[in-house]
Amino acid sequence: MAASKLSKIRNIGIVAHIDAGKTTVTERILYYTGKTYKLGEVHDGEAVMDWMAQEQERGITITSAVTTCHWKDNEIHIIDTPGHVDFTIEVERSLRVLDGVLAVFCAVGGVEPQSETVWHQADKYGVPKIAFINKMDRVGANYYGTIDMMGKRFNSIPLPIQIPYIKNETFHGVIDLIGQKMITWDEDSLGLLSDISDIPSNMLPETEKYRERLIETLAEIDDVIAEKYLEGKEITEKEIIESIRNATLLLKVVPVMCGTALRNKGIQLILDSITNFLPSPEDIPPVEGINPETKTIEKRGSNVKGPLAALAFKVMLDEGRKITYMRIYSGKIKAGEDIYNASKGKKEKVSRLLKMHSNKRERVNEAGAGDIIAVIGLKDTSTGDTICDESDPIILETIEFYEPVISQAIEARTPGDQERLSSALAKLASEDPTLKIKYDDETAQTIISGMGELHLEIIIDRLIREFHTNVNIGKPKVVYRETIEEETDVEEIFDRKLGDRKHFGHVVLHLEPNKRGEGLKLIDEIKDEVIPEEFHATIEKGIRDAALSGVVAGYPVVDVIVRITGGSYREADSTSLGYEIAASTAFSNGCSRAKPILIEPIVTVDIITPGEFMGEVIGNINSRKGEVKNISHKDPVSEIKAHVPLKQMFGYSTDLRSVTQGRGTFSMQFLRYDKV
């Protein structure tokens, strides 16, 4: 792959709130680039990118799907991500490996809660963005209102490069502010044909106003544009495009377009903006990682001739085969060769390389820098692992995973099902890092924990359908934590003979409450002459093991600062086991004395409801011990933000539907743990 080929690649993700039309936009992109020959509709369960049975039935995206299409000599790799908060990890791991983002907003709903979440996720990884305001054909569509909301809620400046052409209160097309032309689409050709014409006279004042604003915004960022603007010289279309591209790559502006994906209007212009404004692998800064041998920071630029550096960002099982999705940052991978997993320190063999189109695949012999590729044959590689050359090792920054907030008990109905259940859960957990599995010896139940009710519902559905496992399901349970409210000093001596050996350990700890969300913090204050250094790690291990099961109800202990302040050492008798048991017992005893309490997960709930039902919705939140934090009116709907204990949110979707006649929607996100 020559350097010029790299400049023609775009690795982009499509992100949005649930139901903003993200998958419909992707389906239209595939149709207009010739990748598909039929328009797949989400509501018919025929969307190419929503290939799982669970996605087709519910009309939502659950797993991020990868595809490749071509537009005007450019190769575009697209990841269509879920919009539901329960599947945030799918967005997180996709954004970690993408170079650019197309954010889709609903013209009626504006900037909805999950749009905000994914936007901030993209900011975290420094990913440039363009925006498409969809559903302009809907009653209540407000293009300029949505842009205002973007300006208030996000750091980047929303920069309209189009304005809508509305005729007889109906969306007809767009006016391109860069080329100063009107573009409409032929409905009989399913939007394949477009008509470019002069701007109608009644739209000229509005066009002039927004074009002037476009140039002024660029002049504040770009010296060349500023100079020409102040001198009154004409600024060419090419110069404007170049200036917008530079400002987008610097995360200063977000070009904004509009249209309606369902009515096939505006999609080709999105493709032009993807190629014009979003970065190629050459435009992104070199990826950084740590050399595991020298512990120094190293960089890898997008160069096919450089040493291999790739990140595994998703693992999927298909018909029993493990498929590992990878983003290659530098170097290349060939089918049949050995590669090195630096995160695990193991060699792996690439048996096949695949270019994915949703769940269909195309075999290739090699892939290089800038590619998103699927690999078959990697046994030990999991999400977040770095693949590189063994002679030139590097470990890239891994992917952050979220802690599960909701648990459910499941048990197999027959001994045969039990075998299948264990195997199936292990496979599902290797795919999904936010799914946690624990076997409870006391109840003989398997506890699965995930990001929300829908997440666990999908997992159980897959167990039954894909793995043919019959299970009984218990009610979901909230995952509690324990902490302390007071400070205490505690001392413990372990001095006992076990078997032929005497074991001695003596530690002194000081426990104090930590801030919420800060976790368990260990501070080693012992001098080596008091207890030799070789036992310090053992003492810490004893404390961490004891913290896994608290004194109130056996939940993990968090938000505690433990200072290891003292102890003693006996030449002949001190052992690792002695110190580990002494530290573990001291921590548990200290927690018992320091006013231990249970803390529960609190979630932020964002509710969108028609204004007339606002009173009933607020009343329902209050009855669930929730605290309303903010109410904003966006005619004809209102948005309510509240903090509610997670355990009170079970069954809320049914209640909300009933009090809003099915018109209310909500999303929730973990906020913090707080006192029960």
Side-chain angles (χ1 to χ4, degrees):
M1 187 186 294
S4 58
K5 173 84 190 294
L6 263 181
S7 66
K8 297 285 186 185
I9 289 178
R10 299 290 180 274
N11 288 312
I12 68 147
I14 301 186
V15 301
H17 185 87
I18 192 166
D19 213 26
K22 191 169 32 16
T23 300
T24 306
V25 168
T26 313
E27 295 297 322
R28 296 306 185 267
I29 286 174
L30 297 180
Y31 181 65
Y32 297 131
T33 55
K35 191 73 189 181
T36 56
Y37 302 98
K38 175 174 178 272
L39 286 174
E41 301 293 6
V42 175
H43 51 265
D44 296 334
E46 291 182 354
V48 174
M49 300 301 274
D50 285 351
W51 56 272
M52 286 172 72
Q54 292 86 348
E55 294 178 312
Q56 290 165 356
E57 285 166 13
R58 290 168 174 81
I60 61 169
T61 303
I62 290 166
T63 180
S64 49
V66 182
T67 190
T68 301
C69 57
H70 294 84
W71 182 254
K72 296 181 180 175
D73 294 335
N74 292 283
E75 186 176 303
I76 305 173
H77 305 145
I78 300 173
I79 300 185
D80 176 31
T81 64
H84 198 287
V85 71
D86 281 18
F87 309 106
T88 302
I89 185 60
E90 289 287 338
V91 185
E92 182 86 19
R93 58 184 173 185
S94 301
L95 287 173
R96 171 66 184 80
V97 297
L98 291 171
D99 302 334
V101 157
L102 167 64
V104 180
F105 296 93
C106 168
V108 181
V111 178
E112 294 168 288
Q114 187 62 5
S115 328
E116 230 172 309
T117 303
V118 294
W119 191 280
H120 294 315
Q121 283 174 303
D123 278 346
K124 181 169 90 178
Y125 292 117
V127 181
K129 297 166 279 289
I130 59 173
F132 178 67
I133 297 175
N134 191 25
K135 304 194 179 184
M136 287 298 299
D137 56 322
R138 295 265 296 270
V139 176
N142 187 346
Y143 179 64
Y144 301 114
T146 304
I147 289 170
D148 283 345
M149 288 176 77
M150 289 170 70
K152 284 172 188 161
R153 297 198 187 180
F154 304 139
N155 292 331
S156 315
I157 301 167
L159 185 71
I161 57 170
Q162 300 166 0
I163 57 172
Y165 175 52
I166 311 287
K167 187 177 172 187
N168 301 328
E169 296 187 4
T170 306
F171 175 76
H172 275 272
V174 302
I175 289 166
D176 173 18
L177 298 175
I178 301 171
Q180 300 188 81
K181 291 286 178 189
M182 183 170 80
I183 301 158
T184 52
W185 286 269
D186 174 30
E187 295 192 15
D188 293 335
S189 71
L190 292 175
L192 277 168
L193 301 175
S194 60
D195 181 45
I196 298 172
S197 56
D198 290 333
I199 298 165
S201 56
N202 66 321
M203 289 296 294
L204 285 171
E206 196 175 341
T207 305
E208 195 58 45
K209 173 183 156 187
Y210 281 97
R211 182 175 161 90
E212 184 77 8
R213 200 175 285 181
L214 170 80
I215 302 294
E216 281 175 3
T217 306
L218 292 175
E220 286 174 17
I221 301 164
D222 187 323
D223 292 343
V224 176
I225 299 284
E227 201 174 307
K228 282 198 156 190
Y229 177 64
L230 292 170
E231 290 173 5
K233 290 181 181 173
E234 190 183 333
I235 301 162
T236 66
E237 196 174 321
K238 188 180 175 189
E239 285 171 328
I240 293 173
I241 289 172
E242 191 60 38
S243 181
I244 294 173
R245 176 180 175 79
N246 292 335
T248 305
L249 298 189
L250 292 168
L251 308 182
K252 299 242 175 110
V253 302
V254 177
V256 184
M257 301 157 285
C258 61
T260 163
L262 195 62
R263 305 273 172 258
N264 314 310
K265 293 176 181 175
I267 304 300
Q268 293 94 330
L269 300 182
I270 294 177
L271 285 159
D272 287 340
S273 288
I274 287 169
T275 55
N276 284 339
F277 306 132
L278 289 180
S280 74
E282 283 185 332
D283 297 316
I284 60 166
V287 67
E288 284 190 358
I290 291 174
N291 184 318
E293 291 169 1
T294 63
K295 306 296 180 201
T296 54
I297 293 174
E298 293 187 5
K299 294 184 178 184
R300 297 276 194 274
S302 288
N303 182 359
V304 75
K305 291 179 180 167
L308 175 64
L311 188 76
F313 68 95
K314 181 178 165 81
V315 171
M316 208 179 87
L317 293 158
D318 187 24
E319 295 169 358
R321 279 192 173 160
K322 182 176 171 181
I323 300 176
T324 308
Y325 286 84
M326 249 182 237
R327 162 70 196 266
I328 306 175
Y329 289 99
S330 79
K332 58 186 173 188
I333 297 176
K334 290 184 179 175
E337 73 175 4
D338 286 340
I339 53 177
Y340 181 65
N341 180 333
S343 306
K344 298 268 187 352
K346 290 185 176 179
K347 275 189 178 178
E348 297 261 44
K349 188 162 191 75
V350 177
S351 48
R352 284 189 201 171
L353 287 175
L354 307 168
K355 276 212 165 175
M356 300 298 285
H357 175 48
S358 188
N359 62 333
K360 297 184 177 64
R361 42 185 94 152
E362 172 197 339
R363 281 183 77 163
V364 291
N365 289 323
E366 73 170 50
D371 278 336
I372 290 176
I373 198 81
V375 184
I376 291 181
L378 309 185
K379 291 177 182 165
D380 297 309
T381 301
S382 51
T383 304
D385 286 359
T386 300
I387 301 298
C388 59
D389 290 335
E390 192 173 5
S391 58
D392 212 332
I394 189 170
I395 296 179
L396 305 175
E397 182 194 346
T398 187
I399 298 167
E400 278 184 31
F401 300 129
Y402 297 88
E403 280 302 307
V405 294
I406 186 169
S407 295
Q408 198 155 22
I410 59 170
E411 56 186 20
R413 288 186 188 166
T414 67
D417 286 325
Q418 181 59 50
E419 271 184 42
R420 279 197 294 274
L421 177 64
S422 303
S423 161
L425 283 174
K427 287 174 180 172
L428 289 171
S430 71
E431 277 190 20
D432 182 352
T434 56
L435 173 67
K436 297 282 188 276
I437 298 146
K438 190 174 92 179
Y439 185 73
D440 192 323
D441 290 317
E442 290 179 23
T443 60
Q445 285 181 316
T446 301
I447 310 292
I448 57 172
S449 305
M451 300 305 294
E453 281 182 280
L454 181 62
H455 185 199
L456 295 186
E457 188 187 310
I458 299 292
I459 293 294
I460 288 159
D461 193 13
R462 289 187 65 190
L463 283 174
I464 294 164
R465 282 198 210 194
E466 285 176 39
F467 299 98
H468 312 294
T469 307
N470 295 311
V471 291
N472 295 320
I473 302 153
K475 280 188 80 173
K477 283 184 185 165
V478 170
V479 180
Y480 290 93
R481 294 283 184 266
E482 295 184 20
T483 190
I484 58 172
E485 288 193 304
E486 293 178 355
E487 293 190 28
T488 188
D489 288 295
V490 62
E491 181 176 8
E492 188 65 37
I493 296 171
F494 182 82
D495 188 2
R496 199 177 301 171
K497 194 171 182 182
L498 298 173
D500 300 334
R501 178 85 201 268
K502 192 164 187 185
H503 295 271
F504 174 82
H506 173 208
V507 295
V508 181
L509 306 179
H510 175 78
L511 276 57
E512 59 190 83
N514 202 353
K515 285 181 189 166
R516 287 284 176 269
E518 295 291 314
L520 184 70
K521 186 177 178 186
L522 271 56
I523 301 169
D524 185 350
E525 296 179 352
I526 325 171
K527 293 188 167 61
D528 291 349
E529 56 266 27
V530 177
I531 298 174
E533 189 185 355
E534 66 195 87
F535 297 117
H536 292 205
T538 310
I539 292 170
E540 289 191 13
K541 181 179 182 298
I543 294 167
R544 290 194 188 281
D545 287 350
L548 295 174
S549 180
V551 295
V552 180
Y555 291 105
V557 180
V558 295
D559 302 343
V560 175
I561 297 171
V562 184
R563 296 180 190 277
I564 309 162
T565 56
S568 64
Y569 171 70
R570 279 192 206 159
E571 185 79 43
D573 300 335
S574 286
T575 62
S576 290
L577 181 63
Y579 282 114
E580 191 175 330
I581 295 171
S584 175
T585 313
F587 180 79
S588 298
N589 292 345
C591 286
S592 300
R593 286 189 214 162
K595 202 176 172 189
I597 55 163
L598 268 186
I599 51 176
E600 64 179 339
I602 307 292
V603 290
T604 300
V605 185
D606 283 283
I607 306 149
I608 307 281
T609 173
E612 64 261 36
F613 304 116
M614 200 169 71
E616 289 93 327
V617 171
I618 290 171
N620 190 281
I621 285 291
N622 290 336
S623 72
R624 292 171 181 269
K625 300 180 183 171
E627 191 183 342
V628 174
K629 289 290 182 186
N630 187 37
I631 299 169
S632 52
H633 303 284
K634 302 182 287 184
D635 207 41
V637 298
S638 294
E639 183 183 352
I640 300 163
K641 278 185 189 281
H643 295 169
V644 190
L646 177 65
K647 70 176 178 201
Q648 300 288 345
M649 289 301 294
F650 292 130
Y652 182 64
S653 51
T654 311
D655 273 14
L656 183 65
R657 276 199 292 269
S658 100
V659 298
T660 62
Q661 297 175 7
R663 290 158 65 196
T665 61
F666 82 101
S667 68
M668 62 182 188
Q669 200 164 1
F670 174 72
L671 174 68
R672 63 170 185 269
Y673 276 91
D674 222 331
K675 193 173 178 179
V676 172

